[in-house]
Amino acid sequence: MSIDSQSNNDAAADGRSRETITGSVDRVTYHNEQNGYTILRLSIPSHRDTVTVTGNFSSVTPGESLRLTGWWTTHPQYGEQFKSIDYSVVRPATIAGIQKYLGSGMIKGVGPVTAKRIVEHFGEQTLDIIETNLARLAEVHGIARKRIDMIQKAWAEQKAVKEVMLFLQSHAVSTHFAVKIFKQYGNDSITVVEKSPYRLASEVYGIGFRTADQIARNLGIAFDATERLEAGLSYVLQAATDEGHCYLPADELIRRASKVLEVEDQERIGSVLEKLLAEGLLVRESLPEPDLDQAEPVDAIFLPPIRQAEKSLAGRIRTLLASPLNTDSVRVSRWLDRFTAKMGIELSDEQRAAILKASVERVMILTGGPGTGKTTTLKRNEQSPLDADVIIIDEASMIDILLANSLVKAVPRGSQLILVGDVDQLPSVGPGTVLKDMIASGSVPVARLNQVFRQAAESLIVQNAHRINQGEFPRLVTPGESKSDCYFIEAEDPDEVVELVVKLVSSSLPKSFGYDSRRDIQVLTPMNRGSIGAGNLNQVLQSVLNPPSERKPELTRGSRILRSGDKVIQRVNNYKLEVFNGDVGTIEAIDLEDQMVAVRFADRIVAYDYADILELGHGFCVTVHKSQGSEYPAVVLPLHMQHYLMLSRNLLYTALTRAKKTVVLVGTKRPSARP
């Protein structure tokens, strides 16, 4: 499995001689799931301490024995390293290696404890016994017939997966993805990969177009093959929906596809686009462009579900609006007077007008910023449930076109629909800006709340949210200056920002306000990347808030460690498990024997199979986009030049309004948020 032919030439030019070493994998420090680049620690007989190995590996399991070809290098910071250009897996040569290999989690039903018992009983013959006479495991104390059956099934599946792995090794596909491919296609895995590799991009979570494309290219599929160009066009359009777009103009789609596919012949791409349109796999519509002063319509290209959702949603809203309500507004007004008097609620003129408007409109939008009383306005429904007569959807700014379509289709024809949301927050992560577009259409009645109530107006969080929304610089209070709910700590150096964030979460905020570090405080950041991004902050916060312990089982996947007690977030919708993108929970238990991870969400515990844990990410820190629709007692928000491109006004506004009681901004004042 050659990594890079250029590396061989470089080695020859530098006069470095190749060397072959054999050793046992002690641990994996870093593993990139997409390209296979790995940093690991290897135990070899000729060295007293473990050595660092770098290279591209399709998969590596602690305890595995590797035969590596490459050369020794010296890193200016990390010292001696072995750069691998080729490798093969050999069976573990020592009892310790066999035990570590067997207990690494590769076989369901065999964890560290069971592996130790098996190896203590069979010694160096362990792997041969499992391969040829697995029934003898009954000789091992504590292994019942039921567990032997589980191990036998898992071992057979592991052998089948290994066939898939061997096939994919040269394509830098990890063990984890090989398992998911096998779960998706079973014994047809290799056939699917050989004949339709681009199916992986859409059917196997975690394998994107680029990985599928690399597999396809290595299988000999031509650079300008029709199936590659079709997959590239679909990928570019799907990527555009991930950016929030419902469509791309045809020329923009072709231009983007040309760049992604590295194919300069745009006429050829255009002809493939016409083929997809003719087959109904993509949809063309001629649309007016509302944002540009131009007479020519836009040649818009949609994914079929997106365009269908747009048409269906618009049609359903028109149908609801066409059926007026016969409401006695005088009677409603009298009832409202009695209700507010009984409940001790004082409504503003805006709120009263919004309620009366809602009583006569079939569909209505209620919008306004923080502190303007949107929640109070809804309490007529909380106190007087109306079954499906009135359906109120809060946080409607989060709803994308697909969800909105599903929602509105579920509204009975005789019911009212009230959408409540802050149109100034970040738009939905999915395609479309439904709430904003419905308001802009002028077709749907809108009640806008602008008056900030006195109690809310005393909150600096609310004040600053409105300042930011109006393009004004927020009022910044440093800790100790005065009592507030919104603080700012200045720090220029990224490492200092990280240190301050950790200190705030682990000690300062819990000590000052009594917050629980994991339950009450949420770190939000604009991006995943960088030292102040969610990726690094999660690792740092995990090491402080949930450090390793003998009492905490943990699971290593590449460079990521999931540990009992970790705060985690669901990254995709999983309808089978009934957990959804953005759900935050805590790992209750990790069963290394049965390869299950139990996560407690708000109301229940969900059991994840090892093959599904890629859907989980650490939740100590999440991006602002992921936090939409959620509220937390306290928010810590790092802001720095490192994330300048993401510091838009509505991102900062959204982040600030996620905090119910306290928010602390950490970073520099210099980057002004973009409009």
Side-chain angles (χ1 to χ4, degrees):
M1 289 160 284
S2 178
I3 294 171
D4 188 349
S5 59
Q6 184 61 42
S7 299
N8 300 343
N9 297 334
D10 292 344
D14 291 347
R16 291 175 289 185
S17 58
R18 288 197 197 182
E19 199 173 321
T20 299
I21 62 173
T22 301
S24 174
V25 178
D26 182 68
R27 69 178 185 274
V28 179
T29 304
Y30 174 80
H31 178 72
N32 186 309
E33 298 280 4
Q34 294 298 317
N35 59 26
Y37 179 75
T38 304
I39 303 172
L40 59 86
R41 300 290 291 178
L42 193 75
S43 297
I44 59 177
S46 58
H47 282 62
R48 184 181 62 181
D49 299 322
T50 59
V51 300
T52 298
V53 174
T54 65
N56 286 45
F57 296 81
S58 60
S59 63
V60 187
T61 304
E64 271 187 333
S65 289
L66 302 178
R67 183 176 291 112
L68 307 165
T69 300
W71 52 82
W72 293 100
T73 63
T74 302
H75 191 280
Q77 183 177 355
Y78 302 110
E80 186 180 54
Q81 297 182 346
F82 189 81
K83 181 178 176 60
S84 172
I85 61 168
D86 194 71
Y87 78 98
S88 59
V89 179
V90 296
R91 295 182 93 180
T94 65
I95 289 178
I98 293 171
Q99 182 176 321
K100 193 166 189 177
Y101 176 70
L102 200 60
S104 64
M106 60 177 290
I107 305 171
K108 190 170 185 176
V110 180
V113 175
T114 303
K116 183 179 180 181
R117 290 175 182 166
I118 294 173
V119 173
E120 284 178 347
H121 186 82
F122 293 114
E124 294 180 357
Q125 296 181 334
T126 295
L127 296 180
D128 289 328
I129 294 294
I130 292 176
E131 182 71 44
T132 61
N133 196 1
L134 199 133
R136 287 192 60 191
L137 291 182
E139 300 173 17
V140 181
H141 175 70
I143 299 184
R145 180 72 245 174
K146 183 179 179 181
R147 185 161 295 275
I148 293 175
D149 291 341
M150 181 190 297
I151 295 171
Q152 187 169 30
K153 180 181 178 183
W155 185 258
E157 288 183 353
Q158 187 66 25
K159 288 177 68 176
V161 169
K162 278 190 175 293
E163 290 184 18
V164 177
M165 282 171 50
L166 288 170
F167 176 74
L168 297 175
Q169 273 182 339
S170 61
H171 310 299
V173 178
S174 71
T175 307
H176 186 82
F177 286 147
V179 172
K180 291 184 78 70
I181 290 170
F182 185 77
K183 283 190 70 175
Q184 179 75 22
Y185 305 116
N187 293 330
D188 295 327
S189 297
I190 292 178
T191 301
V192 169
V193 172
E194 280 184 321
K195 294 185 176 179
S196 307
Y198 291 105
R199 284 178 60 184
L200 302 180
S202 59
E203 297 177 357
V204 182
Y205 173 71
I207 295 185
F209 169 78
R210 296 187 186 281
T211 300
D213 190 41
Q214 185 60 52
I215 294 171
R217 299 289 295 120
N218 289 342
L219 287 170
I221 292 179
F223 212 60
D224 63 346
T226 298
E227 60 185 300
R228 181 172 186 266
L229 301 189
E230 287 178 346
L233 283 162
S234 296
Y235 162 72
V236 168
L237 205 50
Q238 182 61 57
T241 68
D242 295 338
E243 297 172 4
H245 302 298
C246 287
Y247 69 86
L248 284 179
D251 55 354
E252 175 66 9
L253 172 58
I254 292 170
R255 186 190 66 77
R256 291 192 186 191
S258 175
K259 184 177 180 180
V260 168
L261 293 165
E262 298 179 355
V263 173
E264 295 183 0
D265 188 352
Q266 294 193 9
E267 288 189 9
R268 168 82 172 122
I269 297 174
S271 67
V272 173
L273 173 58
E274 294 300 326
K275 177 176 180 291
L276 290 173
L277 291 167
E279 294 172 351
L281 298 175
L282 298 180
V283 176
R284 167 182 276 136
E285 292 280 354
S286 182
L287 301 176
E289 176 52 72
D291 298 326
L292 297 175
D293 184 16
Q294 60 181 42
E296 293 296 322
V298 176
D299 186 16
I301 308 298
F302 293 81
L303 292 170
I306 302 294
R307 187 52 177 158
Q308 180 57 39
E310 280 198 333
K311 288 183 173 181
S312 175
L313 174 61
R316 184 62 182 167
I317 292 292
R318 280 196 297 267
T319 299
L320 289 171
L321 288 170
S323 176
L325 290 173
N326 296 317
T327 305
D328 186 340
S329 57
V330 174
R331 186 178 178 187
V332 172
S333 181
R334 289 172 180 168
W335 171 88
L336 185 59
D337 290 337
R338 293 194 303 271
F339 177 79
T340 53
K342 179 181 178 181
M343 302 303 298
I345 297 174
E346 185 177 345
L347 297 176
S348 68
D349 291 341
E350 284 181 339
Q351 287 179 309
R352 185 179 183 85
I355 293 172
L356 294 176
K357 192 179 189 69
S359 71
V360 298
E361 299 290 355
R362 183 71 69 183
V363 181
M364 194 197 85
I365 296 171
L366 176 64
T367 186
T372 57
K374 296 189 299 296
T375 302
T376 301
T377 308
L378 296 179
K379 286 186 177 178
R380 63 189 276 272
N381 189 53
E382 292 175 352
Q383 299 297 327
S384 305
L386 299 174
D387 296 327
D389 291 340
V390 178
I391 298 171
I392 299 176
I393 306 300
D394 201 5
E395 296 288 354
S397 62
M398 292 179 58
I399 302 174
D400 64 26
I401 190 68
L402 297 172
L403 181 57
N405 181 46
S406 298
L407 164 69
V408 175
K409 283 197 297 186
V411 175
R413 209 164 260 220
S415 297
Q416 284 180 271
L417 175 64
I418 300 175
L419 300 172
V420 184
D422 187 345
V423 75
D424 295 313
Q425 288 187 16
L426 285 171
S428 61
V429 175
T433 53
V434 176
L435 185 67
K436 180 180 177 182
D437 291 345
M438 288 179 72
I439 293 173
S441 72
S443 301
V444 181
V446 177
R448 186 182 293 271
L449 303 181
N450 295 305
Q451 179 185 341
V452 179
F453 282 79
R454 181 182 58 79
Q455 185 177 356
E458 294 173 355
S459 164
L460 194 56
I461 292 176
V462 173
Q463 291 178 32
N464 282 335
H466 285 279
R467 284 172 175 266
I468 290 165
N469 198 27
Q470 294 163 14
E472 300 174 7
F473 199 78
R475 181 185 162 206
L476 303 176
V477 175
T478 58
E481 178 183 339
S482 63
K483 188 176 181 181
S484 176
D485 60 357
C486 184
Y487 299 97
F488 174 75
I489 303 175
E490 189 161 14
E492 293 285 342
D493 182 70
D495 291 338
E496 184 184 3
V497 173
V498 173
E499 289 177 11
L500 284 168
V501 168
V502 172
K503 184 179 179 181
L504 284 164
V505 176
S506 62
S507 59
S508 300
L509 288 174
K511 183 178 179 181
S512 299
F513 298 95
Y515 293 131
D516 181 276
S517 294
R518 279 183 279 184
R519 184 183 64 247
D520 299 328
I521 305 171
Q522 184 62 58
V523 180
L524 303 180
T525 186
M527 295 177 67
N528 282 303
R529 294 174 295 185
S531 59
I532 313 175
N536 183 61
L537 283 174
N538 268 313
Q539 288 189 1
V540 175
L541 289 166
Q542 180 198 34
S543 67
V544 175
L545 300 180
N546 192 34
S549 164
E550 291 183 358
R551 295 178 287 104
K552 299 176 186 175
E554 60 183 41
L555 174 67
T556 301
R557 281 296 178 267
S559 59
R560 200 162 57 104
I561 298 173
L562 291 176
R563 183 176 297 135
S564 183
D566 276 352
K567 186 177 182 180
V568 291
I569 185 169
Q570 177 73 14
R571 302 197 287 195
V572 295
N573 291 333
N574 187 320
Y575 296 97
K576 183 177 72 173
L577 297 178
E578 294 186 347
V579 286
F580 304 98
N581 191 358
D583 287 353
V584 175
T586 303
I587 296 180
E588 288 271 307
I590 297 176
D591 190 329
L592 299 174
E593 303 284 324
D594 293 337
Q595 298 189 349
M596 300 292 288
V597 176
V599 179
R600 176 176 291 280
F601 292 97
D603 56 347
R604 64 197 179 100
I605 293 179
V606 176
Y608 287 78
D609 187 86
Y610 273 16
D612 294 322
I613 60 173
L614 186 66
E615 297 178 0
L616 289 174
H618 281 116
F620 300 102
C621 174
V622 301
T623 62
V624 178
H625 281 84
K626 281 285 186 184
S627 74
Q628 287 177 261
S630 300
E631 285 187 316
Y632 317 97
V635 165
V636 176
L637 176 64
L639 296 171
H640 194 269
M641 291 288 288
Q642 196 175 87
H643 294 156
Y644 176 69
L645 292 177
M646 290 294 293
L647 296 181
S648 63
R649 186 184 300 167
N650 59 358
L651 181 139
L652 183 55
Y653 176 85
T654 301
L656 209 61
T657 54
R658 298 307 89 203
K660 291 192 285 187
K661 296 180 180 179
T662 309
V663 64
V664 184
L665 293 83
V666 183
T668 175
K669 297 179 183 178
R670 280 185 296 163
S672 57
R674 295 182 292 110

